Amino acid sequence: MSVDSELRHRSTGPSTEGDEQEKNKRLSQLSSSSSSSSDYDMNKTARFSYGKTPEGRVFRVPATRDMVTALLNPKEKKSFFDLVTLGTMAVEIGLFFALPTWLKQVLFIFIFFFWRLGYNAGLGALLKYQSDSRGLVRLAQKYKIFDQEANPKAYRWLKTQLSMKMGDDYDFATSPIEYNTWLLYRQLVDLILMNDFTSYILFTLSWFNWSPQSSFLVGDMMRWAGGLVMILFNIWVKLDAQRVVKDFAWYWGDFFFLIEQSLTFDGVFEMAPHPMYSVGYIGYYGLSLMSASYTVLFVSIAAHALQFAFLVYVETPHIDKTYNPPTLPKRQPAVDGPVTSDEDAPGINTTLDQNATRDFYSYYFRRDLIVFKNFDLCRSTDLASAALMTYSVITPLVIGGKAGVTFAIVQAIFWRIFHSYGLGALLRAQSKGKWFTRHFVKWGGGVEQAFANWKSIYNLSLCMTYITFFVACWEMYSLPSNWTYGLTLLRHTLGLGFISLHIWTSVSIYEVLGDHGWFYGDFFMDDHQPTLIYSGIYRYLNNPEKIVGHAAIWGMTLMANSWAIYGLALFSQISTFMFLNYVEAPHMRKLYGNQIRKEAGLTKTLKSAAIALPNALPDKFHQEVSKLIRETAELQAAVNTTKNVERIVKEMVEKVEKTAEETAGAVGDMVEAARPRLQEVLEETKTMLETSRSRLIHPLVDNNIGTYDLSRYSVKMTNQTENEGFTLGHPIQLTWTAPENHGERDWIGIYKITANKHRHITNISSRGHWQWTTTEQGKTQGTLTFKGAQLPWKTGTYEFRYHHDGKHNVMARSVAFEIAPPKAPSIQNRDAVERCMLRLIQNVLGNDPERMPMTPVDEYIGMGENEAQRIAYTIKLMYGVEFAWEIVLADKCVARLTKRINHALDALAPFSSVVEEKRVNGHTNGHVPATSTPSSPSVSKNPCSPTLISKVASDSALY
């Protein structure tokens, strides 16, 4: 079980009472490995727990007492170690009251750092020694301090001192040496921790500034209130952590022996990573705020940094070694004979999945530029990005003055708009219809090219967003001459802290998401849908970018201290919020559905704390508060006012959220409502152009047409079955009849049924879709075949018109007929697709044997832009894939074009259909969004959705 390097985070569970023999029998089944011991869990309702030494000895762990209660309670017996601890604390307190202010200020800095180094360096070195080689236990064995025969004085003294602080269940003589060594080590821990705390409080009081710091009273009240809230929160963190980890983990017991337990992640450990070392020291900053002393603040920051060093170099390696031992790769046993292909063979599926994952990452991710990581001067995109970043930094400095400031702010606004709204619109279009991928498919690419270009664009935009914001802050930055006065130093300290928090947050996000999630890979790739897992920083926050993802922006803003920058930072925060809510969140809901967690660990913990804290207060306190509220009418009114304000604020927030949702919908409705009107404008424009053309056609009308008998003219199609139309591009044969005195230059054209306003006059150009009837005088009938470029290459309802003697009088019209797109064969039937494409290209080339291909591998000859455009249009009708006409020409043969269609459909497969397909094939491990069902309209109405995803890597065969 992975614990993600979470330390001091182990909850013990006592075993059940019952027959001791049965208990020993069960305990003997514990594995000798430490990892299996950590997984052993028993009934947690009983009194005792059982431990196990590295040699495998199982023993019942005696109960320990609370250190602070035993130390400060005068009724409790005091051991020698207690007296030493109390004595050193008393000396420090005496020095505080005896020494002058200037001297104790200096002295207590050194005293505090002595105990702090004793904690982080001293205890850290001892624990490291014990973890690596069981050093402390070996020292106890070497000097035989727990051996009654070899060292009776030490034995009796230690027995007295240690037993004094234990209960009746503790037996010094029968306890394992690991347990006794741990108890002895605890005495040193108590000495150092108590004096570390005492010396810090005395150091803070020595530097406490009791004089008002603000020019207005409310400022000091807010400072004190904020500090008290931090201190109270710190106390709650420590108490809740003690509740979870108990004494065993509080005193690093697993460095000495293991105890039956399950690793737990509840309470404060769901709120923040390493709470004992992170938020568990927020009280430092509360006291710094109350003391109004920069000295206290910087000493607190240094002490906190030492604590993190202890975490990184001592606890993390031990917890990884104890609870996350490296697993050896499993090798398949050698077999005689041919290798089986049975998918159910042990280990085969795992190996295939691992190879597929490896192939996936090696194909899509190849040393991509992530901010500045993997920068390569020989890569054009990296070089161009570096040049653009350099220009953005240098240009405002070269311009200088107000113009330089204006330029810096404008370019920061531009890149924020481009990053949040421009790329947001791109990803939204990609999520809905794979717009970005379609663009590259159109020009002969695929998912790989689309994703590679997206990664370059995204990284450049991300870097430019922060670089231009930094440049704007630099242009607005000015350091006061007296920078130690006021809030200048505090602003810079907080600014650097926020920047550090931002860097840690970004690194933590990347560690969880990897390259795939960092670059929004699930917007582009369907052949790799990771399971939605909340680990790392996502265990505490559903979306860390929304909360702490802008820490660096606000850090730089605090240091710049400019209203323009404050406004720019707020705009950036709102833009990110809009991006996450209207681009990322809808796509995640579409992919993962009900897998998405409603509450993050931080939210859940704070809610639990809000409920638990009032209940934890003594009944006497509740009674006094109730009495005070009843007796004080003003206080009651204030409470009511507060409730009203809370209600009003709550209603206002709900209204704003509702308005935002309605506005988002209204914008979409406005676009949809405007679409018909825009289409109407386009149609009117097209009609105006056609009308202007008809003005040139009307003079070509023969006004003496009334002398002809129109009943003797006819146009009939001969290769059309009843009530059926024609397939797009299919040749159309027709017969015509006319009287003997018909015109020498009669002609027949094909038009859309709605193109001409008049039945007897054609006022629209035929656009080349026409033929002469005959050049022979007196011939009264004939046959014509329309094919290739003579046919209209658009679907719709058409008619043939017989025209008189080179003019536009209509002598006869055929019945209306439909031109429909060809039926699309299943993409899985490659032979059928190739035949369909071969027939299409032959029709486009007019079935000319000199130009058209005869087999799928034959290259087509003499194809031009118009022919290629017709092929691309037909493919789009059949399979919903848009290609540029240049790509059709570049493929040169039907086989390559068919393969390209197949790859394009793989790349453009709807997200929902892919998730559903994986569900059907059993590849989602049961984590299928409820919205991804086969009855989804986007799936059921798409006849071209493949049911089998081909490997994208085979796209290289096209070239």
Side-chain angles (χ1 to χ4, degrees):
M1 175 181 179
S2 176
V3 295
D4 296 320
S5 302
E6 182 61 80
L7 311 176
R8 307 291 295 281
H9 193 187
R10 298 145 238 155
S11 177
T12 61
S15 62
T16 59
E17 295 180 351
D19 184 65
E20 189 68 19
Q21 183 177 0
E22 178 66 17
K23 173 63 66 179
N24 292 334
K25 179 180 178 181
R26 285 166 49 185
L27 289 174
S28 64
Q29 297 175 357
L30 285 169
S31 171
S32 59
S33 64
S34 60
S35 60
S36 62
S37 298
S38 65
D39 292 334
Y40 190 85
D41 188 21
M42 305 180 69
N43 194 332
K44 298 184 179 181
T45 62
R47 178 180 177 184
F48 301 110
S49 60
Y50 287 80
K52 189 181 68 172
T53 66
E55 288 81 10
R57 176 185 173 185
V58 176
F59 66 99
R60 193 173 67 181
V61 180
T64 55
R65 298 182 180 180
D66 179 69
M67 176 265 297
V68 177
T69 302
L71 188 66
L72 301 182
N73 189 352
K75 297 181 181 180
E76 294 281 348
K77 293 181 180 180
K78 299 296 183 291
S79 67
F80 171 78
F81 303 107
D82 293 337
L83 295 176
V84 172
T85 301
L86 291 173
T88 53
M89 293 169 59
V91 170
E92 293 170 1
I93 295 173
L95 290 174
F96 174 79
F97 288 104
L99 297 178
T101 301
W102 67 270
L103 181 57
K104 63 185 178 184
Q105 284 181 338
V106 177
L107 179 63
F108 275 105
I109 292 178
F110 289 98
I111 292 177
F112 170 62
F113 272 112
F114 171 80
W115 292 112
R116 173 53 48 172
L117 290 173
Y119 180 0
N120 298 133
L123 296 181
L126 293 177
L127 287 175
K128 187 73 173 174
Y129 184 42
Q130 172 65 19
S131 176
D132 293 343
S133 61
R134 299 182 62 212
L136 298 182
V137 174
R138 292 183 183 277
L139 285 176
Q141 292 173 337
K142 178 180 179 181
Y143 292 102
K144 301 179 179 180
I145 59 176
F146 299 115
D147 191 337
Q148 184 176 5
E149 296 179 359
N151 201 340
K153 290 184 179 180
Y155 178 86
R156 288 193 300 271
W157 186 80
L158 287 174
K159 179 180 180 181
T160 303
Q161 299 301 321
L162 296 181
S163 300
M164 189 181 301
K165 304 180 68 173
M166 301 293 290
D168 296 336
D169 60 334
Y170 173 67
D171 187 353
F172 180 82
T174 60
S175 295
I177 188 173
E178 288 82 5
Y179 186 80
N180 287 334
T181 305
W182 177 60
L183 287 183
L184 183 59
Y185 173 76
R186 283 183 53 153
Q187 314 312 310
L188 179 61
V189 173
D190 290 343
L191 171 66
I192 293 177
L193 291 187
M194 289 301 298
N195 281 278
D196 174 76
F197 173 76
T198 303
S199 60
Y200 179 79
I201 296 298
L202 297 176
F203 153 73
T204 302
L205 293 175
S206 299
W207 288 89
F208 213 93
N209 195 335
W210 300 97
S211 60
Q213 298 298 307
S214 301
S215 57
F216 56 101
L217 181 61
V218 177
D220 287 317
M221 292 176 60
M222 293 177 63
R223 178 168 58 84
W224 276 76
L228 287 173
V229 169
M230 291 183 184
I231 293 172
L232 292 175
F233 179 74
N234 198 147
I235 295 173
W236 173 77
V237 169
K238 295 292 187 182
L239 292 176
D240 195 62
Q242 172 67 20
R243 173 191 64 82
V244 174
V245 303
K246 306 296 190 297
D247 274 3
F248 171 73
W250 189 276
Y251 287 98
W252 302 280
D254 55 4
F255 281 74
F256 298 85
F257 60 93
L258 290 172
I259 198 170
E260 57 176 21
Q261 62 186 2
S262 291
L263 300 180
T264 57
F265 294 87
D266 62 342
V268 69
F269 290 95
E270 288 186 314
M271 183 180 65
H274 313 296
M276 294 287 289
Y277 299 94
S278 54
V279 295
Y281 279 83
I282 196 173
Y284 274 5
Y285 305 102
L287 287 171
S288 301
L289 187 62
M290 295 174 65
S291 66
S293 170
Y294 283 117
T295 304
V296 176
L297 175 62
F298 292 131
V299 168
S300 299
I301 293 175
H304 200 179
L306 287 173
Q307 194 69 9
F308 278 119
F310 177 86
L311 168 68
V312 172
Y313 294 107
V314 179
E315 288 222 48
T316 299
H318 177 76
I319 204 71
D320 287 339
K321 179 175 63 177
T322 304
Y323 296 98
N324 289 326
T327 57
L328 297 177
K330 295 183 179 179
R331 300 182 181 274
Q332 297 299 320
V335 294
D336 297 330
V339 179
T340 179
S341 60
D342 187 2
E343 293 183 355
D344 296 330
I348 295 296
N349 289 336
T350 302
T351 304
L352 291 175
D353 291 341
Q354 292 174 350
N355 291 337
T357 302
R358 186 160 51 248
D359 293 342
F360 169 82
Y361 277 99
S362 64
Y363 185 75
Y364 286 110
F365 304 99
R366 302 172 183 174
R367 291 190 71 254
D368 298 299
L369 185 61
I370 303 174
V371 187
F372 300 113
K373 179 184 176 184
N374 301 327
F375 182 81
D376 189 348
L377 277 175
C378 297
R379 193 159 47 189
S380 61
T381 54
D382 296 12
L383 193 61
S385 298
L388 184 59
M389 295 175 195
T390 303
Y391 274 109
S392 67
V393 174
I394 294 177
T395 303
L397 302 178
V398 172
I399 296 176
K402 293 183 178 180
V405 173
T406 303
F407 181 85
I409 294 178
V410 169
Q411 74 169 354
I413 295 174
F414 168 79
W415 281 106
R416 171 51 63 184
I417 294 175
F418 178 82
H419 185 71
S420 297
Y421 299 98
L423 297 189
L426 188 155
L427 282 181
R428 188 173 177 85
Q430 175 71 10
S431 175
K432 289 186 174 182
K434 293 203 171 183
W435 173 84
F436 198 69
T437 304
R438 286 180 183 275
H439 172 80
F440 286 90
V441 169
K442 176 180 178 180
W443 295 99
V447 177
E448 183 194 11
Q449 291 84 352
F451 191 50
N453 283 274
W454 158 257
K455 287 185 291 185
S456 299
I457 294 172
Y458 176 76
N459 191 76
L460 173 63
S461 175
L462 181 67
C463 293
M464 290 298 297
T465 299
Y466 284 95
I467 289 174
T468 54
F469 188 89
F470 173 79
V471 171
C473 291
W474 179 260
E475 287 290 325
M476 302 297 294
Y477 178 81
S478 62
L479 184 65
S481 56
N482 187 8
W483 56 271
T484 60
Y485 177 78
L487 299 177
T488 302
L489 191 56
L490 178 62
R491 286 191 290 102
H492 284 71
T493 304
L494 292 176
L496 293 174
F498 285 165
I499 293 174
S500 302
L501 175 63
H502 184 103
I503 294 173
W504 174 83
T505 301
S506 299
V507 172
S508 300
I509 291 174
Y510 179 75
E511 288 176 349
V512 176
L513 299 181
D515 291 344
H516 181 272
W518 181 266
F519 286 112
Y520 299 92
D522 48 14
F523 280 78
F524 294 85
M525 294 168 289
D526 301 322
D527 51 347
H528 179 76
Q529 285 291 344
T531 304
L532 195 60
I533 300 176
Y534 292 98
S535 62
I537 192 173
Y538 287 90
R539 188 166 69 242
Y540 318 105
L541 302 171
N542 277 350
N543 202 326
E545 292 181 80
K546 186 180 295 186
I547 299 177
V548 292
H550 263 58
I553 296 292
W554 291 107
M556 290 186 285
T557 300
L558 284 174
M559 290 189 286
N561 196 31
S562 166
W563 285 111
I565 302 300
Y566 278 111
L568 184 57
L570 182 61
F571 173 68
S572 300
Q573 185 80 61
I574 295 174
S575 299
T576 300
F577 177 83
M578 298 288 287
F579 174 86
L580 294 174
N581 279 272
Y582 295 102
V583 178
E584 183 177 299
H587 186 76
M588 295 296 290
R589 287 194 296 269
K590 179 168 67 174
L591 286 185
Y592 300 105
N594 294 332
Q595 291 186 60
I596 299 177
R597 183 176 59 183
K598 303 300 180 183
E599 287 186 349
L602 175 63
T603 306
K604 184 168 63 175
T605 303
L606 291 179
K607 286 184 177 181
S608 300
I611 297 173
L613 283 178
N615 297 332
L617 296 174
D619 293 338
K620 183 66 175 177
F621 178 82
H622 287 285
Q623 295 172 4
E624 293 296 330
V625 171
S626 299
K627 180 180 178 182
L628 182 63
I629 293 177
R630 286 195 303 269
E631 295 178 353
T632 308
E634 295 180 358
L635 183 59
Q636 182 66 45
V639 171
N640 293 335
T641 303
T642 303
K643 292 181 179 179
N644 290 334
V645 171
E646 291 178 353
R647 179 178 55 80
I648 293 172
V649 171
K650 182 178 180 180
E651 291 178 355
M652 183 179 298
V653 171
E654 291 177 352
K655 289 181 180 179
V656 170
E657 292 178 349
K658 184 177 181 181
T659 302
E661 294 177 358
E662 292 177 351
T663 303
V667 172
D669 293 341
M670 289 172 61
V671 173
E672 293 300 326
R675 189 185 303 276
R677 180 54 186 162
L678 293 175
Q679 194 70 27
E680 184 180 344
V681 171
L682 292 176
E683 292 294 336
E684 290 178 356
T685 304
K686 182 178 179 180
T687 302
M688 291 175 60
L689 294 175
E690 295 291 350
T691 302
S692 63
R693 181 178 300 172
S694 67
R695 293 175 182 173
L696 299 177
I697 296 176
H698 278 301
L700 300 177
V701 174
D702 190 346
N703 294 324
N704 298 322
I705 198 66
T707 60
Y708 293 89
D709 184 5
L710 300 182
S711 63
R712 300 181 63 183
Y713 290 86
S714 68
V715 177
K716 296 181 180 179
M717 291 161 289
T718 58
N719 62 336
Q720 179 192 24
T721 58
E722 187 177 357
N723 298 328
E724 290 187 4
F726 293 94
T727 301
L728 185 66
H730 190 274
I732 302 177
Q733 295 180 357
L734 58 87
T735 59
W736 59 269
T737 59
E740 294 180 356
N741 62 341
H742 68 82
E744 296 181 359
R745 300 175 63 248
D746 288 357
W747 59 282
I748 298 176
I750 182 172
Y751 303 88
K752 271 197 172 183
I753 195 69
T754 57
N756 293 281
K757 295 182 179 180
H758 305 286
R759 293 172 58 88
H760 301 291
I761 297 176
T762 296
N763 55 0
I764 297 298
S765 172
S766 63
R767 302 179 184 274
H769 308 318
W770 65 279
Q771 290 189 53
W772 301 111
T773 56
T774 181
T775 57
E776 298 180 7
Q777 185 68 24
K779 188 174 182 179
T780 61
Q781 63 181 3
T783 302
L784 298 178
T785 301
F786 283 74
K787 60 183 180 180
Q790 296 171 340
L791 291 171
W793 283 88
K794 298 289 182 182
T795 58
T797 305
Y798 291 85
E799 66 176 355
F800 283 101
R801 290 191 168 204
Y802 187 113
H803 299 90
H804 172 68
D805 201 19
K807 297 182 176 58
H808 287 78
N809 301 89
V810 179
M811 314 302 287
R813 294 185 300 119
S814 71
V815 296
F817 59 93
E818 185 79 14
I819 294 183
K823 294 182 179 179
S826 172
I827 197 64
Q828 309 309 318
N829 190 343
R830 180 169 179 174
D831 292 338
V833 177
E834 286 185 346
R835 289 195 300 270
C836 180
M837 290 296 105
L838 180 62
R839 183 74 260 174
L840 171 64
I841 292 175
Q842 290 174 344
N843 289 335
V844 166
L845 296 178
N847 294 282
D848 185 353
E850 299 293 331
R851 301 172 59 199
M852 69 180 188
M854 304 304 294
T855 65
V857 295
D858 293 342
E859 293 188 358
Y860 26 80
I861 302 172
M863 182 180 291
E865 177 180 345
N866 293 332
E867 289 88 349
Q869 287 178 344
R870 293 163 187 162
I871 295 173
Y873 170 77
T874 307
I875 293 174
K876 183 178 181 181
L877 292 178
M878 295 172 64
Y879 291 104
V881 180
E882 182 180 4
F883 291 125
W885 63 269
E886 293 91 341
I887 298 303
V888 176
L889 286 180
D891 283 339
K892 296 184 178 181
C893 74
V894 171
R896 292 194 186 97
L897 184 61
T898 301
K899 186 176 292 186
R900 186 178 300 281
I901 295 172
N902 189 13
H903 293 164
L905 289 176
D906 287 348
L908 301 177
F911 290 104
S912 57
S913 66
V914 173
V915 173
E916 174 60 24
E917 176 198 340
K918 292 184 177 181
R919 184 191 70 80
V920 174
N921 293 331
H923 296 308
T924 58
N925 298 322
H927 300 289
V928 182
T931 57
S932 299
T933 62
S935 60
S936 173
S938 62
V939 180
S940 61
K941 292 185 179 180
N942 185 359
C944 304
S945 297
T947 59
L948 179 65
I949 302 300
S950 302
K951 288 188 65 177
V952 182
S954 62
D955 188 48
S956 59
L958 288 171
Y959 308 105

